[in-house]
Amino acid sequence: MDKLLTNMNNVFVRFPEIGDVVVKDIETKTPQYIKLSSFVKTELDESVYEIIGAVAWREHDKVLVVYKENTSTQFMNRPWLYLSGYTLDGTDRTGTLSIRVADDNWNANVEKVIPYNATSAEGLVEQLNGFFEDDADCNAQDWYANIEEDGSVRIHCDSTKAGKIFETTAKAGFACTSCAPEIDSDYVIRRKNGNNGGYGSIFSMQRAIEAFTPDLSPETYNPSTDVKPMNVVLPVTLPAYLGESKYQSDHCKALRERYGEGRDGWLKFLESLRPVAPCDYGTMRKRNGKERTDIMAQKMFTSRIVSEPKAMCNAAYYCSNVNSKTIDKGEFWLPTADELSYIFKTIEYGTNPDWNSDPINRCLNKIGNTVSNKAYWWSCCRCSVIGAWIVSGNWGFLGDDSLRSTSRVLPVSLYTVR
Amino acid sequence: MKIVNDTSLQSLINSIKGLFLGRSEAQTIISYTSDKIATTEKEVVSLGGEATAPDYASLPLLCGQPMILFGKGTPQQSVVPWNWKQYDPVTGDGYDWNGLPSAIGQQYINESATANGRYIAVLQNDDTLKWINF
């Protein structure tokens, strides 16, 4: 087929394959697909078609598309909480906000006793902001309060200036929610070996092979006690698997009995740590990336030093705001862990320095930004109060990272073949 | 009876063929279209095969496993349902049973029970699943 296609450029196909180019008809906004091997950008009439991205996966008529561009940003740059417990009766009262501060090297909470006398939420918010401005610690972290549409009092701060924002609590006249309570979290990924553990399920096999081939000393990846196949949560290094590590004696006999001897057995063992997808148990159940992204992308704020509304969840906002002549806002989203598991089955660029080493990057290299398995990639799935799931560019598995961290953001969308 | 003039028909076919001779682009399109039709046919046949398979193991799947699981005992790690597809290190297919459901609505039948042997998978608050006897 490829030989035939060398005779003609930009062949449109109805059912695309991984790496094929996604374009949209500018007049109708309908997605169409060009066979990657036939794609010649200079010969595409860009007054008729807009280049959108690359096909990352297809299941029958559903096409998972990665956008042609990606960026680096924080998952959550402005964490928020909702304040309650206050009394609006026009008498002198206090409430306590307990926060971490830089002077103490973020080690322990410092209590901020906030006086107020208010008969309305508006009055309370005004006094809160007065306190935040006058208090050196709160001012430095740009703490700010506002009233939401439903009347709730929201307080928030700059995560780049608040080292331990997620430790914030309220007491003695105030109460508060956890950070960003609208975004749920869980810490469960079912693996093919039957384990329902937390971080460590392999998403990028090529990266994991490179990372765990050397003899590493940490017991995390080099067990000091005998392990059974279903109990394994994290990858085990190749020397440890073979019972040849210089750091530990042999504790992997049961693994070799199940998956086989030698490097081939180790590779099969690593495969057993891949996530079960699709799966309804735990994080992989969260397959509506658009809904999760939209919730986060709609969170906006202003503060004393930020007068124009800005996003609070930069990663989601970036994805949700992808738009062009043919792309409407909200059409792309921050990928779910489930979607990342399909995308990173294919990605080999990174561990392999050649852009052409996998079809997705072969395509993206012609139209936009490539995707490296040596970078960290956010999912839209939160894994804890302080973190979200991320494909680790260091280990190749699904790891957790602080919501404050900056990592790569790859917008995705799902089209249906018509 | 209408008599077909074979010579005339062959002449017509040759004329049609002639229209395309030397037009490599058109030929490529025809070849490519034929190839895509074949591919699509394969997909349809594949789908049809799944839908018409007669045994339990080929019933529609939920998260890669049979919708109804059969085991001799209550659902637990040590009782692997006989129709569960365990992880096969050679092919990479399946995933190991751990006693817990993997899909909402998955069912489990305890073949050893004379009563109350039917279970269904339901979602819990922490996004995990559990079996409830019903």
Side-chain angles (χ1 to χ4, degrees):
Chain A
M1 191 63 240
D2 284 349
K3 192 176 177 183
L4 286 168
L5 291 176
T6 56
N7 291 331
M8 55 191 303
N9 296 329
N10 297 333
V11 175
F12 286 77
V13 293
R14 187 176 178 211
F15 288 96
E17 295 171 337
I18 295 173
D20 285 350
V21 184
V22 184
V23 299
K24 274 191 165 189
D25 184 309
I26 289 173
E27 193 176 317
T28 63
K29 292 189 176 183
T30 52
Q32 296 186 35
Y33 310 99
I34 299 175
K35 202 79 196 147
L36 175 61
S37 53
S38 75
F39 180 64
V40 179
K41 189 166 183 258
T42 52
E43 296 199 9
L44 184 73
D45 186 346
E46 296 196 46
S47 68
V48 178
Y49 298 105
E50 181 186 11
I51 298 171
I52 304 299
V55 173
W57 189 257
R58 177 169 71 83
E59 191 80 24
H60 300 299
D61 65 340
K62 301 296 180 195
V63 182
L64 179 63
V65 176
V66 293
Y67 187 54
K68 61 187 174 186
E69 306 289 348
N70 53 73
T71 192
S72 283
T73 191
Q74 290 174 285
F75 187 96
M76 187 180 291
N77 43 302
R78 189 90 187 178
W80 65 92
L81 313 93
Y82 294 97
L83 199 65
S84 60
Y86 46 79
T87 306
L88 304 175
D89 61 359
T91 62
D92 290 341
R93 292 180 174 275
T94 60
T96 299
L97 205 58
S98 183
I99 65 171
R100 297 286 172 100
V101 298
D103 286 351
D104 186 37
N105 203 24
W106 313 107
N107 275 331
N109 277 27
V110 172
E111 294 186 354
K112 303 290 182 183
V113 179
I114 304 174
Y116 69 97
N117 181 333
T119 55
S120 66
E122 288 80 1
L124 173 65
V125 163
E126 189 179 339
Q127 291 169 63
L128 283 171
N129 285 332
F131 178 87
F132 291 151
E133 187 171 7
D134 294 340
D135 181 88
D137 294 324
C138 292
N139 196 319
Q141 297 176 21
D142 193 27
W143 277 95
Y144 199 70
N146 71 279
I147 298 176
E148 290 289 272
E149 280 183 9
D150 63 0
S152 56
V153 175
R154 187 178 70 165
I155 56 174
H156 43 94
C157 69
D158 185 342
S159 74
T160 61
K161 296 171 181 170
K164 292 280 181 73
I165 165 66
F166 302 106
E167 301 292 339
T168 301
T169 60
K171 55 188 173 182
F174 283 158
C176 70
T177 62
S178 59
C179 270
E182 299 92 331
I183 310 166
D184 63 343
S185 67
D186 73 78
Y187 202 66
V188 178
I189 301 284
R190 187 162 182 157
R191 294 143 171 79
K192 299 191 90 172
N193 68 357
N195 191 287
N196 286 337
Y199 81 94
S201 178
I202 293 176
F203 275 45
S204 172
M205 186 55 69
Q206 297 306 315
R207 187 69 192 99
I209 290 170
E210 187 175 277
F212 294 104
T213 293
D215 195 8
L216 307 174
S217 62
E219 290 183 21
T220 318
Y221 309 117
N222 197 338
S224 57
T225 56
D226 288 353
V227 291
K228 294 177 180 174
M230 194 179 289
N231 296 339
V232 178
V233 179
L234 295 162
V236 168
T237 67
L238 175 58
Y241 181 88
L242 300 175
E244 297 170 356
S245 170
K246 65 182 179 185
Y247 301 109
Q248 298 288 348
S249 54
D250 182 9
H251 295 290
C252 297
K253 186 166 177 283
L255 299 184
R256 295 195 299 277
E257 285 173 355
R258 175 73 207 277
Y259 304 114
E261 297 290 337
R263 188 171 186 274
D264 284 349
W266 178 66
L267 293 175
K268 287 168 183 164
F269 156 70
L270 291 184
E271 285 285 338
S272 78
L273 292 175
R274 279 196 186 275
V276 174
C279 183
D280 286 345
Y281 196 98
T283 297
M284 301 299 271
R285 187 182 78 81
K286 293 169 178 172
R287 295 192 282 271
N288 192 339
K290 175 174 168 48
E291 184 179 84
R292 302 183 73 76
T293 301
D294 286 348
I295 289 171
M296 291 189 278
Q298 287 162 11
K299 295 293 176 187
M300 306 295 283
F301 78 100
T302 58
S303 74
R304 273 186 309 284
I305 58 176
V306 178
S307 55
E308 291 298 316
K310 280 193 171 177
M312 303 175 97
C313 302
N314 274 347
Y317 185 81
Y318 171 76
C319 296
S320 188
N321 279 273
V322 167
N323 71 103
S324 68
K325 280 181 281 192
T326 63
I327 300 173
D328 298 327
K329 283 186 180 180
E331 191 169 317
F332 278 78
W333 56 84
L334 192 57
T336 60
D338 177 73
E339 286 161 343
L340 286 172
S341 76
Y342 292 108
I343 295 168
F344 279 87
K345 272 183 183 175
T346 302
I347 304 295
E348 294 192 9
Y349 168 62
T351 45
N352 186 328
D354 183 359
W355 280 324
N356 294 314
S357 56
D358 67 77
I360 295 176
N361 279 300
R362 200 151 56 238
C363 175
L364 291 175
N365 186 42
K366 293 180 177 180
I367 62 173
N369 286 5
T370 50
V371 173
S372 168
N373 62 14
K374 283 194 165 181
Y376 288 71
W377 297 90
W378 283 124
S379 77
C380 64
C381 300
R382 194 173 178 183
C383 62
S384 66
V385 172
I386 63 170
W389 289 116
I390 197 165
V391 176
S392 168
N394 197 39
W395 302 111
F397 55 51
L398 194 71
D400 51 4
D401 203 356
S402 167
L403 303 173
R404 301 168 62 239
S405 298
T406 293
S407 290
R408 300 298 300 177
V409 177
L410 178 63
V412 300
S413 193
L414 195 65
Y415 294 151
T416 303
V417 172
R418 297 184 192 287
Chain B
M1 178 185 285
K2 185 178 179 181
I3 298 172
V4 176
N5 185 332
D6 281 345
T7 306
S8 300
L9 184 60
Q10 189 58 51
S11 171
L12 180 61
I13 291 170
N14 289 340
S15 298
I16 294 169
K17 279 183 178 175
L19 290 174
F20 288 96
L21 285 176
R23 298 186 182 185
S24 61
E25 191 172 274
Q27 286 177 321
T28 306
I29 291 169
I30 292 166
S31 299
Y32 185 74
T33 306
S34 303
D35 187 71
K36 288 315 291 180
I37 289 168
T39 304
T40 308
E41 281 174 352
K42 274 184 209 165
E43 288 182 345
V44 171
V45 169
S46 171
L47 281 170
E50 282 180 18
T52 56
D55 61 307
Y56 279 120
S58 295
L59 283 171
L61 306 176
L62 277 179
C63 297
Q65 297 290 347
M67 295 168 69
I68 304 173
L69 307 169
F70 299 90
K72 295 187 184 306
T74 58
Q76 54 191 290
Q77 187 175 320
S78 59
V79 179
V80 181
W82 60 261
N83 61 337
W84 179 269
K85 297 168 191 295
Q86 289 280 71
Y87 172 60
D88 181 342
V90 176
T91 64
D93 294 338
Y95 52 95
D96 284 346
W97 166 258
N98 63 9
L100 295 169
S102 61
I104 296 169
Q106 203 166 41
Q107 292 184 49
Y108 179 97
I109 305 295
N110 177 1
E111 292 182 324
S112 302
T114 53
N116 302 319
R118 191 167 58 150
Y119 299 81
I120 192 164
V122 297
L123 188 66
Q124 304 187 94
N125 285 339
D126 60 357
D127 286 313
T128 63
L129 302 173
K130 70 173 182 180
W131 296 113
I132 58 166
N133 194 219
F134 74 109

